[in-house]
Amino acid sequence: GDTLFRVLNDFSGVTDVADEKQKLAALSLQFAIIAKVVICGGCFEIDGKRRIYPLEVEFYYHEEEENGLKDPVMYHTDDHDGRKLEYFPLGSLNCHVSGIDITFENKEKRYRASFLIRKYKVCKYDGEMWQVDKECESRSTYIYEDMFMHIPLFNGINVKWISEDSQHCNNKIIVNPRINVAEYEKNNEGKFVKVEITQEDYNKLSSNEKKEYFSYCGKRLKRCKRMWNYSIVNY
């Protein structure tokens, strides 16, 4: 079967596709292949003592070329950082304020790509067998604690992907818009800004129209329509 290394290495991006709708369609197909492996094909193992099984992942993709497909919410980009950034080696951990991304960027094609582990299960090894420690953690930033707490430094910390059929193989994977990610548009200065609506205008919308917005830090923001969140049913 496909391993995580193979599907990340096979990801080709869509820099050679001109039309944005075709880009998004092609990306969805590639992301679905990766999501299946991440959610159903293994886990992250830390020092043989702890395992993290992803239950929900969220993808990010950004092209650095001026007319490329942009993902303004993505952290590790030249546009976001305001300077030229190095390209991460395949399968690197990118730790940031929202949790941990696994990256699969490409320097030659000049795109950034990653997935955020948004929801996961934790198992611990008790000396004889693996025991469930957390059935489902939906707070993505808790992964730092679940991966690294109480792991001694002195022999080095080993984090690796273990390929195995997970117990979730028969669960259906569902696709949704990314969580709390806003739609962006270019302002008069050519900068990307979040699409926002006033509370007064929001109140005038129909029930269906209101579903296109979410509340964040006291603002009403339009949801990003990119269906790049993949999770398993019943979690």
Side-chain angles (χ1 to χ4, degrees), residues 8 11 14-15 27 41 47 56 61 83 88-89 93 97 109 112 117 120 125 150 164 170 190 193 197 225 230:
L8 294 184
F11 179 84
V14 289
T15 53
L27 283 172
D47 278 7
E56 180 178 321
Y61 175 86
R83 62 192 173 101
F88 287 134
L93 298 182
V97 294
K109 295 184 178 180
R112 314 284 183 176
I117 304 165
Y120 57 90
Y125 192 65
H150 312 302
E164 62 172 23
N170 297 322
V193 293
I197 193 173
K225 294 185 181 71
Y230 295 75

Side-chain angles (χ1 to χ4, degrees), residues 97-161:
V97 294
S98 298
I100 293 179
D101 282 352
I102 311 301
T103 66
F104 42 110
E105 305 183 343
N106 189 299
K107 183 177 182 180
E108 285 70 39
K109 295 184 178 180
R110 297 195 65 215
Y111 65 70
R112 314 284 183 176
S114 67
F115 65 83
L116 171 70
I117 304 165
R118 191 165 269 291
K119 193 184 289 184
Y120 57 90
K121 179 171 81 171
V122 184
C123 291
K124 290 183 179 178
Y125 192 65
D126 66 4
E128 294 182 4
M129 59 188 297
W130 290 96
Q131 304 278 3
V132 176
D133 186 55
K134 279 187 184 180
E135 188 62 47
C136 178
E137 177 56 77
S138 59
R139 298 166 293 185
S140 59
T141 54
Y142 276 61
I143 197 166
Y144 296 118
E145 183 178 322
D146 289 323
M147 265 195 176
F148 301 119
M149 287 289 277
H150 312 302
I151 300 289
L153 293 171
F154 306 112
N155 295 322
I157 296 176
N158 183 274
V159 181
K160 61 183 178 181
W161 175 260

